[in-house]
Amino acid sequence: IDGTKKIDIINKYNANGGVVLMAQKELIGRALKEGEFSFELRDVNGNVLQTKTNAMDGTVTFDEIFYMQEDLKASPITYTINEVKSDHESITYDEHIETIEVTLKDDGAGNMIATPDKNSTNVKFTNIYEAEGEVRISAKTTLKNRKLQEGEFSFRLIDVSGRILQTKTNAADGSILFDPIHYTLDD
């Protein structure tokens, strides 16, 4: 190189890094199944970025979100997590929306440190499972040597402790039909 040309050397610095956002799913009333519930991670404008389901232990783990140097000016970056409600009639869904802010910091060594203001222990969605049903007990009586009359005999439905739950009489054909007994998970 002759001394007449000037050479410019430009160094470009860039920091990058990522964060994994998580939530916790709890189901009251029965055991949780893997992949049973879905969750959406949204940006500040409400756009769905990712949809994930729960693991067997209830954790919900979103894919890592990567940040570059230019993302630093938008810090803190706001996200929301919500549960996607399905049509399962026996489950009462947690409809709240969690807001998470991720603060970015350049450590000066090329690493973008992304720190969420909440972790999975702070982002929790709790649903309640409630099953119910009923049983209708019926019986039949017969009478020998003459025709059975409607309402001629009374019959009691008694629980194991001896408490009388219902008393019914027979129909003309001998059938006895008790009122339905309703059950819930508490039973």
Side-chain angles (χ1 to χ4, degrees):
I1 299 179
D2 67 20
T4 60
K5 292 192 176 185
K6 182 178 176 186
I7 299 176
D8 289 328
I9 298 175
I10 299 172
N11 292 327
K12 191 170 185 176
Y13 173 80
N14 190 17
N16 58 55
V19 67
V20 174
L21 299 179
M22 298 178 70
Q24 187 66 38
K25 178 75 207 155
E26 179 184 31
L27 181 61
I28 297 171
R30 71 164 170 77
L32 183 65
K33 297 174 189 170
E34 183 174 350
E36 186 172 12
F37 299 100
S38 295
F39 299 84
E40 294 174 331
L41 176 66
R42 296 176 181 257
D43 66 14
V44 70
N45 297 317
N47 300 311
V48 177
L49 303 174
Q50 299 178 36
T51 301
K52 297 294 177 186
T53 60
N54 62 281
M56 183 69 93
D57 67 356
T59 57
V60 180
T61 306
F62 292 96
D63 296 335
E64 187 171 12
I65 302 168
F66 292 98
Y67 302 101
M68 303 292 286
Q69 187 72 29
E70 57 268 14
D71 295 318
L72 196 57
K73 61 186 168 212
S75 180
I77 300 171
T78 303
Y79 300 96
T80 62
I81 298 175
N82 63 277
E83 184 171 5
V84 179
K85 186 177 179 183
S86 77
D87 58 357
H88 199 298
E89 293 178 11
S90 298
I91 295 179
T92 302
Y93 283 83
D94 188 334
E95 296 184 17
H96 86 282
I97 297 172
E98 284 285 346
T99 301
I100 299 174
E101 287 191 345
V102 176
T103 302
L104 303 178
K105 181 180 178 189
D106 179 356
D107 72 354
N111 300 306
M112 184 67 64
I113 309 300
T115 307
D117 65 343
K118 296 178 184 174
N119 59 35
S120 65
T121 58
N122 303 111
V123 181
K124 188 174 188 179
F125 294 87
T126 304
N127 291 354
I128 300 170
Y129 172 78
E130 297 176 292
E132 55 185 73
E134 64 182 31
V135 65
R136 190 160 196 165
I137 298 173
S138 61
K140 185 155 181 102
T141 187
T142 57
L143 182 62
K144 292 185 179 183
N145 299 327
R146 75 172 171 84
K147 185 177 180 181
L148 183 65
Q149 301 295 315
E150 184 175 341
E152 187 172 357
F153 297 101
S154 294
F155 300 87
R156 293 181 183 155
L157 183 61
I158 302 172
D159 69 12
V160 294
S161 66
R163 184 175 55 129
I164 298 172
L165 302 175
Q166 298 178 36
T167 302
K168 296 292 180 184
T169 59
N170 63 281
D173 68 355
S175 62
I176 303 116
L177 186 60
F178 290 96
D179 296 333
I181 300 171
H182 189 76
Y183 294 99
T184 66
L185 280 178
D186 292 337
D187 297 314

